[in-house]
Amino acid sequence: MSSSPEEQLPQKAFGWAANDTSGHLSPFKFSRRATGEEDVTFKVLYCGICHSDLHSIKNEWGNAVYPMVPGHEIVGVVTEVGNKVTKYRVGDKVGVGCMVGACHSCDNCKSDLENYCPKVIFTYGFKDVDGSVTKGGYSDVMVANERYVVRIPENLPLDAAAPLLCAGITVYSPMKYYGLCEPGMHIGVVGLGGLGHVAVKFGKAFGMKVTVISTSPAKEKEAIEHLGADSFLVSRNPEQMKAAMGSMDGIIDTVSANHPLLPLLGLLKTQGKLCMVGLPEKPLELPAFPLLGGRKMVAGSMIGGMKETQEMIDFAGKHNITADIEVIPMDYVNTAMERLVKADVRYRFVIDIANTLPKTA
């Protein structure tokens, strides 16, 4: 009886995995490939918890492969590099985000848009080039091709920089691509969670006027006094929404729950852009009249290519942008997932892998 590709891999690893749709995570021993010629191996120090991890471990998107080691906001220190690696050395502070491979020959890859490659290999739950299933950052060691490794600026703390590898690039990429990054522009940010709070910080660093749009009035003080937003709209307050109609150049919508788009379209100026980066489970209703009447655009964006991800993290380093985090031990992860369902975190859980994972072995 032949062994699986995972069993043939030489590098022993330890992490936490989900084994079924309950999503419950528990200690898990597995293996990773040896450091290849173009690979970087690093000791994982921290890993952020993304809402995608929660969807994935419960198979809410229907493509889960178990056992699943989640985590795609992974940072650590390089321990070994392949003999063809040119960008990294042992001891460098690095990270890996949402993907670890692509075809490198399609138009998207040639345009530094590996994230849109039809053959993209995501960081966990996807078949890797060696036939094994990728395992994420809720683990002690990571191996990745140097193309998918980013250098973390020296001035950024690793724990608070980790969420930028998903949350950061998810909002930075559409802001850049759709031109919502010019000083003096007015941008709205829908939802003040893991993505939204980072979008506010990038918007202010670009020199923009930033308005947070939320269903929760209780978040106003936090948005303005702590995160530096210029104004705050309660989306359920018709008077506030009416007063702000036609005032925004663009909106970054980070909400993954079902919500109406019509009020948001009303906030846009003529030729304004509403960019979706959240993933509601059910289709949203999109009325045509507001689009035609103001030549408005509803668009989408998913993370970013590797060149842009490095650009994003360098920009974050220059402007001292990090995520607001709650650092947790590995054995708290299931409780953290329960809290994440209730949006009970400000604004990102980050697992202290190096100091707490070994204690769970």
Side-chain angles (χ1 to χ4, degrees):
M1 185 170 157
S2 61
S3 59
S4 68
E6 282 84 355
E7 294 172 320
Q8 298 172 20
L9 300 177
Q11 192 161 192
K12 300 303 177 187
F14 176 64
W16 277 45
N19 291 291
D20 54 46
T21 57
S22 72
H24 183 81
L25 293 148
S26 57
F28 176 64
K29 293 180 180 178
F30 63 105
S31 299
R32 295 196 185 276
R33 68 174 182 262
T35 307
E37 290 182 331
E38 298 177 352
D39 284 343
V40 173
T41 295
F42 64 93
K43 178 183 179 180
V44 178
L45 299 183
Y46 298 97
C47 186
I49 297 180
C50 176
H51 219 284
S52 299
D53 299 345
L54 180 60
H55 288 298
S56 297
I57 60 176
K58 291 178 176 290
N59 196 27
E60 290 176 355
W61 292 334
N63 60 353
V65 178
Y66 299 106
M68 176 185 292
V69 179
H72 58 208
E73 299 176 345
I74 317 162
V75 292
V77 176
V78 176
T79 55
E80 186 179 18
V81 298
N83 58 20
K84 290 186 178 179
V85 170
T86 59
K87 295 192 289 185
Y88 303 103
R89 295 183 301 179
V90 171
D92 285 349
K93 291 162 58 177
V94 297
V96 165
C98 300
M99 56 187 169
V100 292
C103 77
H104 304 161
S105 60
C106 69
D107 289 343
N108 287 327
C109 285
K110 291 175 182 176
S111 301
D112 295 310
L113 294 170
E114 302 95 338
N115 49 314
Y116 298 121
C117 173
K119 297 181 180 178
V120 65
I121 301 170
F122 289 115
T123 303
Y124 61 87
F126 273 65
K127 184 169 282 192
D128 209 345
V129 288
D130 59 8
S132 65
V133 175
T134 55
K135 306 284 195 300
Y138 296 14
S139 59
D140 56 358
V141 63
M142 191 73 193
V143 185
N145 183 288
E146 73 168 330
R147 178 169 177 155
Y148 297 91
V149 177
V150 298
R151 183 180 302 279
I152 308 297
E154 283 297 325
N155 64 306
L156 294 184
L158 283 176
D159 52 0
L164 298 179
L165 296 170
C166 174
I169 187 61
T170 295
V171 297
Y172 179 91
S173 183
M175 292 171 84
K176 293 286 285 188
Y177 180 77
Y178 293 110
L180 303 175
C181 56
E182 299 299 323
M185 276 188 164
H186 185 186
I187 191 169
V189 176
V190 186
L192 196 61
L195 298 177
H197 90 286
V198 176
V200 172
K201 294 185 180 188
F202 278 123
K204 294 309 297 178
F206 285 134
M208 305 173 76
K209 178 183 177 182
V210 180
T211 296
V212 171
I213 306 159
S214 173
T215 58
S216 174
K219 292 185 177 180
E220 180 171 2
K221 184 177 180 180
E222 174 84 3
I224 293 175
E225 295 184 10
H226 176 63
L227 295 173
D230 297 282
S231 56
F232 187 91
L233 287 178
V234 179
S235 56
R236 291 174 176 160
N237 185 319
E239 292 180 1
Q240 287 189 17
M241 295 294 282
K242 184 177 180 180
M245 283 183 69
S247 67
M248 299 179 189
D249 297 286
I251 295 173
I252 301 293
D253 186 347
T254 72
V255 175
S256 289
N258 288 330
H259 60 288
L261 297 183
L262 181 59
L264 301 178
L265 293 172
L267 297 174
L268 292 172
K269 296 177 182 177
T270 298
Q271 300 183 147
K273 300 162 184 171
L274 170 60
C275 184
M276 315 287 295
V277 295
L279 283 169
E281 291 180 27
K282 296 179 181 178
L284 301 178
E285 187 175 320
L286 181 61
F289 277 106
L291 296 181
L292 277 60
R295 195 155 74 175
K296 297 174 183 179
M297 177 190 298
V298 177
S301 183
M302 182 187 73
I303 55 174
M306 294 313 304
K307 181 180 179 182
E308 190 173 48
T309 301
Q310 186 66 63
E311 175 191 303
M312 176 277 304
I313 205 85
D314 291 342
F315 181 89
K318 182 178 178 181
H319 295 274
N320 287 306
I321 295 172
T322 55
D324 289 15
I325 61 171
E326 179 179 334
V327 179
I328 63 167
M330 187 73 247
D331 60 7
Y332 187 78
V333 68
N334 289 303
T335 303
M337 290 295 181
E338 292 172 7
R339 286 178 56 192
L340 191 57
V341 172
K342 304 170 189 171
D344 177 24
V345 57
R346 290 193 173 179
Y347 285 95
R348 205 67 150 188
F349 288 117
V350 173
I351 307 167
D352 183 350
I353 299 288
N355 291 315
T356 67
L357 176 64
K359 298 175 184 176
T360 67

